Amino acid sequence: MGHYDDLADSKFETGFPTRETSISLRNELVFQRAVQSYLWSLPAINIWAMKEGSESTFGAGYNVLPIWQNRIDAKTLVTTPNFDVVYAMGYLDLDKYGPLVVEAPAGVQGIFDDFWQRPIVGPTIEGHTWKGDVGLAGPDAGSGATYVLLPPGYSGPEPAEGYIYRSRTNNVFLFWRAFFADPADLSPAVNRIESTVIYPLGQKDGALPMQFPRASGVECNMLFPQDGTYFEMLDRFIQSEAVDPYDLDLRGFLHTLGIEKGKAFDPTPDDRELLDKAARTAFKMSKVTVTSLLALEPGGTYYPNQPWVNTFAGENTEFQSSGTFTNLEQRGAFFTAAYSNSPGMVVNIVDKGAKYPATMKDSEGNWLDGGNSYSLHLPPDLPAALFWSVALYDSVTASGLDNGQPFPSVNTMDKPTINPDGSHDIYFGPTKPNAADETNWLRTLPGKGYFVILRLYGPGKPFFDQTWTPGDLEPIR
């Protein structure tokens, strides 16, 4: 507590701060506002880093939609990707191109998020307002449809056709997930995604031709920074984006740091060093939120006395709790370790959307250790109408654990070994445990921590009423 004692006891003489006090408290103000700005802006900079990483690797434009045609693997550095679907992710600039039309293909589970990763508000149909979801969990119910994305402050004529979605940011994240039945043949899923068409409103005939770069196996860093370069990225985001009146107070924090829309960000060398320390501190704080604070929140774990955490405990896409505050612990825990957000991921609907229980600890309450071996028992009749999977992630970056296997996951389509009673046992360890085989073993790395996500797509009633619960990771000795 010595540092805080020093601040509290800073010297004033005849009612005024000494020069030393002025300098130390001013620096503390910059440091504190930088830490909070980092944590506040994680949803935006997580997705902005994805945009910059993708566009530097695959190209930019409304017509560029990279597809992970052989599934995403650990060579793509991005927070908690799903290795068991075919991905496509695009970044749409409504400031540069104006309103954009998206002809969404049939059979995808998609999302439109703004660049604060808030689901974009769509039409109200039969009393239900659609937000973000497209495809299987959206208003087209997976049949495919035309969507029109309008920028902030749009005052033009109302589009005559399509589902209208109004973004609060200039940039929009387009995210398609296509399911497959046979891991050996992903072409049907890829072909579905390749029927996507995107063009400026009213300009279909003159639009740029669609491009679908192949992203599988391509090294691409889409992670947000853990150091002072975070604030340089944050400045690029602020310069690119519309000003939302709801953000003015927190933009005041950025003003203290020298980040302001329309002005150059040019901190002194001393301030750059201070911002670097603040970023490194804030990143570690975000990890403490995931590993320690989240479980203390109401509903922060799925099951009593089990360490499976729930980052969407509030069932609210903007992490608002009881309509009285934003749960910053849940929000920070999610966006330091994940991206994309929609009602289909958050709201509890039987056989719809998905659920993502995650654990960093074993049954004894110890952190998962890549040098140890564990088993996870999944009882019979897993409640997942579409599929289930178990995947491993780096405990620091939250990207896929680069364990040397083609994918750090086991899923339904892989047809892992099943027990006579219909249950599954999944094994983890640096070498294959004696009870495991190649279909149900995930390699871990000595000296590296990791966490596990159990994905349930189309979660069934037994998941919600907890008549079905997973086991814990049991140490194998």
Side-chain angles (χ1 to χ4, degrees), residues 129-409:
T129 300
W130 293 93
K131 296 181 179 180
D133 285 312
V134 178
L136 296 174
D140 65 284
S143 61
T146 298
Y147 291 79
V148 183
L149 302 173
L150 301 181
Y154 176 77
S155 59
E158 190 76 2
E161 297 181 1
Y163 296 114
I164 312 301
Y165 279 59
R166 299 176 185 273
S167 178
R168 291 169 61 183
T169 59
N170 291 333
N171 292 280
V172 170
F173 178 50
L174 179 155
F175 185 21
W176 293 165
R177 290 164 289 187
F179 303 119
F180 56 84
D182 181 1
D185 183 12
L186 303 181
S187 58
V190 174
N191 291 340
R192 284 199 297 277
I193 291 174
E194 285 190 334
S195 64
T196 304
V197 181
I198 306 172
Y199 51 89
L201 181 64
Q203 301 177 45
K204 183 174 183 178
D205 291 343
L208 297 170
M210 292 296 298
Q211 298 178 23
F212 300 98
R214 294 312 195 233
S216 293
V218 177
E219 293 190 2
C220 182
N221 187 347
M222 301 164 72
L223 295 172
F224 60 88
Q226 304 173 19
D227 60 14
T229 60
Y230 183 98
F231 294 103
E232 298 171 11
M233 187 174 284
L234 176 54
D235 177 66
R236 294 194 293 274
F237 168 76
I238 290 295
Q239 302 309 327
S240 172
E241 267 305 338
V243 175
D244 189 329
Y246 290 99
D247 296 337
L248 295 187
D249 284 355
L250 286 164
R251 284 172 179 262
F253 278 49
L254 301 186
H255 168 75
T256 305
L257 311 182
I259 297 175
E260 184 177 342
K261 188 171 178 67
K263 294 188 176 181
F265 176 51
D266 187 24
T268 66
D270 286 347
D271 278 356
R272 284 192 183 276
E273 182 178 353
L274 196 58
L275 292 174
D276 181 68
K277 291 178 180 178
R280 291 188 286 121
T281 300
F283 177 78
K284 291 175 181 177
M285 281 184 177
S286 76
K287 296 304 167 182
V288 169
T289 302
V290 175
T291 57
S292 301
L293 299 183
L294 180 61
L296 302 178
E297 291 297 307
T301 56
Y302 276 101
Y303 314 105
N305 304 315
Q306 287 187 277
W308 293 96
V309 296
N310 175 14
T311 55
F312 281 133
E315 294 184 51
N316 184 283
T317 56
E318 295 193 35
F319 298 89
Q320 294 173 352
S321 181
S322 305
T324 61
F325 69 96
T326 299
N327 192 315
L328 296 177
E329 276 64 54
Q330 289 180 0
R331 181 179 181 268
F334 183 79
F335 289 114
T336 190
Y339 62 89
S340 77
N341 181 10
S342 78
M345 299 169 62
V346 175
V347 179
N348 294 337
I349 305 176
V350 174
D351 294 334
K352 299 288 186 182
K355 292 298 173 185
Y356 309 89
T359 185
M360 300 133 231
K361 294 182 177 181
D362 66 17
S363 61
E364 299 172 357
N366 299 315
W367 302 119
L368 297 176
D369 184 335
N372 297 336
S373 295
Y374 307 89
S375 64
L376 168 64
H377 184 68
L378 301 175
D381 303 318
L382 270 83
L386 295 173
F387 76 91
W388 61 267
S389 71
V390 174
L392 304 186
Y393 297 93
D394 186 293
S395 60
V396 176
T397 67
S399 191
L401 188 69
D402 194 359
N403 64 358
Q405 293 175 316
F407 305 100
S409 69

Side-chain angles (χ1 to χ4, degrees), residues 411-423:
N411 66 61
T412 306
M413 295 75 72
D414 292 330
K415 296 181 173 58
T417 297
I418 188 168
N419 298 323
D421 66 352
S423 66

Side-chain angles (χ1 to χ4, degrees), residues 45-59 66 68 76-77 91 218-224 233 236:
I45 304 310
N46 186 320
I47 202 73
W48 188 265
M50 292 171 61
K51 168 186 164 71
E52 288 194 354
S54 177
E55 292 183 348
S56 66
T57 305
F58 305 113
W68 279 262
T76 299
L77 301 181
Y91 309 88
V218 177
E219 293 190 2
C220 182
N221 187 347
M222 301 164 72
L223 295 172
F224 60 88
M233 187 174 284
R236 294 194 293 274

Side-chain angles (χ1 to χ4, degrees), residues 401-464:
L401 188 69
D402 194 359
N403 64 358
Q405 293 175 316
F407 305 100
S409 69
V410 172
N411 66 61
T412 306
M413 295 75 72
D414 292 330
K415 296 181 173 58
T417 297
I418 188 168
N419 298 323
D421 66 352
S423 66
H424 290 81
D425 291 301
I426 310 299
Y427 296 90
F428 313 82
T431 58
K432 185 163 60 66
N434 292 334
D437 58 39
E438 294 295 339
T439 71
N440 62 359
W441 165 57
L442 291 171
R443 181 184 289 120
T444 60
L445 305 174
K448 181 175 283 294
Y450 63 94
F451 63 94
V452 176
I453 295 181
L454 169 62
R455 283 182 170 83
L456 301 171
Y457 272 85
K461 187 174 182 294
F463 171 79
F464 294 111

